Amino acid sequence: GGATWSRLGLFNVPPADLQFIEEAGGLRARPGMQDEVWFAGKAFQQDERSATAGKGLFRSITGGDNWTRIGNVDWAWHVAFGKAAPGRTASAIFIIGKVGGVFGLWRSDDDTATWLRMAEYPGGNFDSISQIAGDPDVYGRCYVAFRGSSFIAVDRAVRSGAADLDLRLDHAPVLPGSVDLVSATAAGATTIRTYTLRNAGDVPLVITSITASAAAQVTASPAFTATTLAAGATTTLNLAVSPTAAGAWSTSLSISSNDPEPALYTWTIAGVAAAGTGTSVLSAVRAQFGKRATDPDWDGSGDRNGDGRVDAADLRAAAALSH
């Protein structure tokens, strides 16, 4: 309970070099890893180009008794941890510092074997960075706090030489593992969610399928077909959300593509549906009757079977709900 204390090892830095350490840029215990502690040693700015020990990134797996310097990191001011990459168990590592002589916010998904620069100056802000924190629930997201100018969230970066699926709803990123909450839904009624899919990578993005765990509740409208997006190209995904019963509901959506990070892009659509009679569904079908997905005033709200048109089949389905 703090009655006694013992001094731990000081990351193998010779006493003569301790004068070059300005401050503890970050001492962090790694979540889920017993006795694993990390230290970002921050050096005086005028000494950044020297070979002085003590201004790198250090790891201890013995609770601080012994320390090892991470060889591929020149120096680091801050270190933090976030949700593990898909298919991995160890948390992602974030640092502010230099890797290969290049400054920025960096992330490693493979325990420091490789590093990916997420930003040079996060958010274009040149203010001093006071802290960083990885999001434990959203993979690839790091929060950066500035001295005197608030904080920002920086999301996963583009990997060079690969396709990169960027999914957005109303210009806001929808990240893997996130939840899209749909408000004002009713059992039997349809709400359209319009997503934008963009290839943020530098090679063609091949999207092979989009699947829903509860297809009766969420369908693509019009039905999705495999597509290829050139670098920087976009396409629209309309999802017709139709809760089948009153109460809480959720559906997991997955996009399969050649994006290596991740190959299966999964998020959840959820909400709480009020009791419905189907009258609103019938009204939507009537308002959109005869429309096709190619029409400029198409909104998909009357497309009950996801075939890209509103016809007699949709009218019969809506009428059945209203009785």
Side-chain angles (χ1 to χ4, degrees), residues 38-110:
W38 292 65
F39 180 84
K42 179 180 177 181
F44 283 115
Q45 186 174 1
Q46 60 264 34
D47 297 310
E48 287 176 4
R49 285 169 287 186
S50 73
T52 303
K55 59 174 187 178
L57 180 64
F58 300 85
R59 169 169 55 188
S60 172
I61 58 174
T62 58
D65 288 329
N66 299 285
W67 295 82
T68 301
R69 181 172 182 167
I70 305 302
N72 58 4
V73 174
D74 300 331
W75 53 263
W77 285 357
H78 301 283
V79 60
F81 304 98
K83 184 177 180 178
R88 297 186 179 274
T89 56
S91 54
I93 306 167
F94 301 92
I95 64 168
I96 294 288
K98 276 189 177 181
V99 176
V102 180
F103 172 79
L105 169 62
W106 294 83
R107 187 187 82 241
S108 176
D109 296 330
D110 51 13

Side-chain angles (χ1 to χ4, degrees), residues 141-184:
R141 176 174 290 180
C142 182
Y143 300 97
V144 180
F146 300 95
R147 286 188 172 94
S149 57
S150 189
F151 71 95
I152 62 170
V154 182
D155 292 318
R156 68 194 191 103
V158 177
R159 188 176 297 277
S160 178
D164 184 22
L165 173 61
D166 178 41
L167 180 66
R168 291 180 179 263
L169 177 67
D170 296 330
H171 304 291
V174 180
L175 300 175
S178 63
V179 178
D180 172 18
L181 293 176
V182 182
S183 60

